[in-house]
Amino acid sequence: MQAKAPRGTFDVMPGEIFKWHHIEKTIKETAEIFGYSEIRTPIFEHTELFERGVGDTTDIVSKEMYTFKDRSNRSLTLRPENTASCVRAFIEHSVAGGILPAKWYYLGPMFRYDRPQAGRYRQFHQFGVEAFGSNNPQLDAEIISLLLQILTKLGLQDYELHLNSVGCPQCREVYRKQLVGYIGPFKDQLCADCLARYEKNPLRVLDCKVPSCQEAIAGFPYIYDYLCADCLEHYSKLRNTLDDNQIDYVHDNQLVRGLDYYTNTAFEVHIPQIGAQSAIGGGGRYNGLVKACGGPNIPGIGFAMGLERLLLALESLDDQQYKDHKLDVFLAVMDGKYEAQSVKILTQLRQAGIKADKDYNGRSGKAQMKYADKLGARGVILLGEDEMRRNIYTLRNMDSKEQIEVPADHLIDAIKKFLI
RNA sequence: GUGGGUGUAGCUCAGUUGGCUAGAGCACCAGAUUGUGGCUCUGGGGGCCGUGGGUUCGAGUCCCAUCAUCCACCCCA
């Protein structure tokens, strides 16, 4: 039995949790300003949901899922992402029969069996949004804008937005056939990975980083050159909307997302400083997904954002601004015979909503002062022989060192006036 | 799944060509005259030297394996 969290997982200890609270709060507030409501789906789902919803040729499904059998021999899988679950919930609860678009957000842990490295964990956390029931490119722009606004609110400036369109099944099929024809003669120049991509998902050969592959495919057309009239219009409307709203982006012909269900808009936001895993968020349109999962023919769009990566990017920022005094007052008991009395006072303070604590380890008076200081107390209440006899308390302000005596009956008011 | 780096106290690290009871700083605890914090000084607790083998009179130091961790590939958040 070793005390060690499993590989690729980690604890967020109490001293660090304020960072998480801060980004979670910012994220939720922003999503709600944009009109998105939280949805919580199960941490595990039927394995089949991910196989169909994510695509069984993807790396995620083919080699990264935590899949297990339950006691009734059902095959279940810890969610590797949350879009498939949202689609399932959308269908299961017949949301399409209500007001559309349905605008949802989620926040929670995801699981992928990957080799850990900077910004990549086996249990990691994503924030994401999904909007079902509109194909309006303004909605694509809204989603991108939401993602960027969160980054801005958190104080992150140095991000890059990459944008592309992967077309619809019709124009992509035309392009795919052309591309296969182009690549065919150069097959022997491709790396082993690209040879596999050539068979399964030839578009992905385009963003291979192996130099020999890049040489082999140099000059080949991109999907952009094959977009049909509708897809091209969708893409230019999106770009116009972004331009109108001063959102900078880079058109990236090589941005081809790994998940099978994407149509039209694809985007990624990178923060290069955080390492090789620099994609802090990414997403796109998935107009065929709801139908593919057995629902009505309803379009959708969404993105996901990695919270650990967000934290990495935020690490350079000043921590202090998020920290607060942990305690309003510390109750220092200078004489052991008043221990019982101190517990009663503590109870009153806490009932009055004052953040208060005391020593439980028999510290001396001096040590209690040190302890109060380390706990970040604004003030200390001194309780000893003198105070008990005169029915008062001594109140010390830890910042100003000022000390006053207050009648026992007025303790709560005095604390609020003197310290808070 | 592949490659490289690293594993010594809670944390950051020293530890000379293998050789006495394994060290420092920070952190923690206790003192520095009687009921008072941050600075300073003094003292103290705490180490299967990642784990398991091997070489040797002798291994923290060398060799092998294994695990973990970090970084990169891959993929992605």
Side-chain angles (χ1 to χ4, degrees), chain A residues 176-228:
Chain A
R176 201 188 63 81
K177 280 186 181 152
Q178 289 284 323
L179 188 63
V180 168
Y182 275 110
I183 296 176
F186 297 91
K187 262 169 77 176
D188 53 340
Q189 293 179 36
L190 298 177
C191 68
D193 287 339
C194 279
L195 226 43
R197 292 182 184 125
Y198 173 76
E199 300 295 336
K200 283 194 207 163
N201 189 354
L203 273 70
R204 306 235 33 240
V205 176
L206 291 176
D207 67 356
C208 181
K209 293 173 196 84
V210 176
S212 56
C213 294
Q214 282 297 318
E215 283 171 33
I217 60 166
F220 286 6
Y222 294 112
I223 177 76
Y224 181 80
D225 304 314
Y226 284 79
L227 292 181
C228 64

Side-chain angles (χ1 to χ4, degrees), chain A residues 21-38 105 107 127 146 149-150 153-154:
Chain A
H21 288 162
H22 178 248
I23 63 171
E24 285 164 6
K25 185 166 176 252
T26 305
I27 281 169
K28 289 182 178 187
E29 281 173 3
T30 311
E32 278 163 26
I33 285 170
F34 276 73
Y36 290 74
S37 302
E38 184 175 0
Y105 77 87
L107 193 62
F127 158 71
L146 167 54
Q149 186 159 322
I150 289 167
K153 279 188 181 171
L154 289 171

Side-chain angles (χ1 to χ4, degrees), chain A residues 286-306:
Chain A
Y286 45 81
N287 287 351
L289 181 61
V290 177
K291 193 174 182 190
C293 289
N297 189 16
I298 295 273
I301 178 165
F303 74 75
M305 176 163 153

Side-chain angles (χ1 to χ4, degrees), chain A residues 16 45 96 98 125 136 142 168 228 241 260 280 289 314 389:
Chain A
E16 298 286 310
E45 297 270 3
H125 296 77
N136 190 330
E142 172 179 285
C168 60
C228 64
T241 308
D260 290 348
I280 206 157
L289 181 61
L314 283 167
R389 202 184 58 243

